[in-house]
Structure formats: C-alpha cells, structure tokens
Amino acid sequence: MTNTIDKKEIEQFSLISNKWWDQKGPFAALHRMSNVRIEFILRNAKRLINKKQTDTKPLNGLTCLDVGCGGGILSEPLKRLGAVVTGIDASDKAIVIAKDHALKSRLDITYKCTSTSDLIKVQNKNVINKFDIVVASEIIEHVKDRQKFLFDISELSRFGGLVIFTTINKSILGVALGKYLAEHVLGVVPKGTHDYKKFISPNDLASEAEKHKIILDNFTGFAPTFNIKNLLDKEFGNFKLSSNLEVNYGAAGLNLKSNDPL
C-alpha cells in the first residue's frame, strides 16, 4: 500500500512544532484563518445537523476527523462545537504539542501520529466508512500522492458524510500571494513551506475528488485582508469568506461512495 506522506514536508513542519500555538509565529496564518475555516465548516455541516444539535454545540455528537491536525488549531474549536474529534498528523512532535494543549484546555480529543493510509491499514474495518465529517485543511498541497489521499478520504468518510478541503489555488494570485508574498516578502510562513507545483485549482480538485465519489458542490474563497500596519509589521490581517477563489479557498461536498467494511 502506498503512503501519502511526503517525508521532507513532515521534517520541515516538525522543526517548528513548538511554535504551533504562537499566534505571531510561523503558523500565524492558520490562526488568522481559523474563524473562516470554522464558519465554512458550519455552513456545510447544516446538511448533517439534526434535533440533537444545539445553538452552542451545533456539531454535537458528530464524529469528525481532522486530517493533518498539526498542533490542534482546528481540532479544538471543532471539539468545543460538540464534535467527537479525532486528529491525525504524520509529525509525532506536532501530536505531542496537540495532546499537551488539549490537556491544558481540558478538551477530550483523540490524537494519533499516523497518515490516512496507515490509519486505514492499522485500524482496518474500525475506521472504514466511519466519520460524519472529514476535514483536510491546508494539507492536500503537502501530500505526496494526491490520488491516494483522496481515495483514503473517501474510505474514511461514511456514505453521505461531509468532506471539507481548504487549500491554495494553483493560480497566478494563489502562487504570488500564497507562496511568494507569504514566504519571501512578509516572511509570515517559513521559506519552502509550499511547493506551488502541488497547488490545485477548484476545478481540478472537484474533478479528481469525483473519481472517488466525493462530490464537491460548494466552493468559497478565503480572502486575506491587509492594511498598512499589517504590511509594515509583516503580518497577515484577518480572512473573510468571499466569492473570489483565486488565492485560498474551501471546498465541501458529500461522500457518495458506498463502502463495505473490509
């Protein structure tokens, strides 16, 4: 079985794992993007929400897999919204940070140092067709084998489950802002974090996902905002949901693959 892990990428992220919760550090962009990522997830999770959910915990009882969870920046708010969260990451150092922060935050989150492929291989029928929501946020542009990764996502999500991706568009603006401005001008992301060759456009992502019965039908831009102070301080502003998909975007849809447990 092939694996989706790009060891070079994991090593790079592991070197800065102690900075996951530094909101002005190398993961500042993910912190700034956190609110729009959650807003996008909640908008699409309405398809699954039933009477058991409440206004304060709209994801109550829904099982959620956070793929490439890092230090838990997204896993923790998902848990606070009521989801039963499992976070996986191939960096053991990131998982140590995530577990420690969740413990201090008194949040019951299951974290595993593994990849999607290895999770399926080791857990076998225990994870196939399991999760109500599978979130792969800012991770698909870092995997080694995108087709295998999409296959894994379709296996892990239950039939009719919600699948969420967020990533950087393979467009002129996506490369210019998502890589060169962020890494080389503002320096808010460590140099070499992104390989623009791995970026993917919304159309290509929809087409590739559909081959694995993941039908992506909602695309929304995550537009970065800047003001003069942000530029002088070499930092990101906030992000807002937008119809412009040219830089960062979210893609959501349902898994229509009927999986028979192995």
Side-chain angles (χ1 to χ4, degrees), residues 19-180:
K19 301 290 186 180
W20 270 105
W21 288 95
D22 179 356
Q23 296 195 23
K24 293 185 178 293
F27 300 107
L30 293 180
H31 284 281
R32 293 295 181 95
M33 199 186 292
S34 184
N35 286 341
V36 293
R37 291 194 292 175
I38 290 296
E39 185 179 350
F40 182 68
I41 292 169
L42 287 177
R43 278 188 182 184
N44 284 280
K46 290 179 180 178
R47 316 179 198 207
L48 307 181
I49 290 174
N50 57 41
K51 294 179 181 178
K52 294 181 181 180
Q53 278 76 35
T54 66
D55 290 338
T56 56
K57 292 187 180 294
L59 302 181
N60 189 43
L62 294 175
T63 55
C64 180
L65 178 66
D66 182 9
V67 180
C69 64
I73 294 174
L74 195 57
S75 293
E76 291 199 5
L78 289 170
K79 176 61 182 179
R80 288 191 175 97
L81 290 167
V84 179
V85 180
T86 299
I88 64 171
D89 200 283
S91 167
D92 58 344
K93 292 181 180 179
I95 290 298
V96 168
I97 295 295
K99 287 181 176 180
D100 182 63
H101 200 273
L103 183 64
K104 291 176 180 176
S105 302
R106 298 183 179 181
L107 294 172
D108 183 14
I109 300 171
T110 300
Y111 286 115
K112 299 177 184 290
C113 180
T114 188
S115 67
T116 53
S117 302
D118 287 341
L119 181 65
I120 291 170
K121 183 178 181 180
V122 173
Q123 297 294 321
N124 206 338
K125 63 183 180 181
N126 294 323
V127 297
I128 298 294
N129 201 13
K130 175 178 180 180
F131 294 96
D132 297 308
I133 304 173
V134 177
V135 180
S137 184
E138 309 308 310
I139 187 64
I140 198 169
E141 69 271 25
H142 296 291
V143 301
K144 181 174 67 175
D145 184 340
R146 193 164 63 223
Q147 292 305 314
K148 180 65 174 68
F149 184 72
L150 290 168
F151 169 82
D152 290 349
I153 296 295
S154 70
E155 288 284 287
L156 291 163
S157 170
R158 70 167 173 82
F159 177 77
L162 179 65
V163 177
I164 302 272
F165 298 99
T166 76
T167 189
I168 303 172
N169 195 342
K170 194 172 186 177
S171 64
I172 292 174
L173 277 178
V175 174
L177 298 183
K179 179 170 176 61
Y180 291 104

